[in-house]
Amino acid sequence: MLQTISSVTAEKAEKYQDMLGKHFARKVSVETNTHQSVVYFPMGTCRISSEGSKLHFQCEAETADALAAIQSIIDRHIPLLKAIRDTQLVWTETP
């Protein structure tokens, strides 16, 4: 399983995590609790979590192409979040 992570500082990190979870739930399955939303895309998953003023993304997929597709989806949705709309996520591979 391939995995990448990224994070961004956002004063409303918990609110944004909740907003993104609800947004994605319109199209795909999402499990949400207070500090995490797990989004089940057809090509893999993305865990969106909040901790204080940090919004974290952890994406997993079987192939590099699938992982890139998930990252692209997340990257396209960041501009929808007003306070961090100009932020570019930097994705880091994890072992």
Side-chain angles (χ1 to χ4, degrees):
M1 183 76 65
L2 302 173
Q3 185 178 81
T4 57
I5 58 171
S6 188
S7 62
V8 63
T9 301
E11 287 184 31
K12 301 176 183 179
E14 189 173 327
K15 177 183 174 183
Y16 289 154
Q17 175 239 310
D18 185 56
M19 285 173 58
L20 286 169
K22 287 178 180 175
H23 175 78
F24 290 126
R26 292 186 218 157
K27 300 262 182 173
V28 296
S29 180
V30 176
E31 292 179 9
T32 301
N33 63 38
T34 306
H35 296 288
Q36 178 175 262
S37 294
V38 182
V39 184
Y40 296 95
F41 294 108
M43 68 291 284
T45 62
C46 185
R47 296 179 193 287
I48 305 168
S49 60
S50 58
E51 180 183 6
S53 63
K54 286 286 191 182
L55 186 61
H56 303 283
F57 301 91
Q58 178 183 352
C59 302
E60 297 178 350
E62 292 291 331
T63 68
D65 287 344
L67 190 58
I70 296 169
Q71 289 172 213
S72 177
I73 292 168
I74 300 301
D75 288 338
R76 287 193 316 266
H77 283 79
I78 291 299
L80 302 176
L81 306 174
K82 186 176 181 179
I84 59 172
R85 73 171 42 142
D86 296 325
T87 302
Q88 288 279 74
L89 293 178
V90 176
W91 295 97
T92 305
E93 290 184 32
T94 60

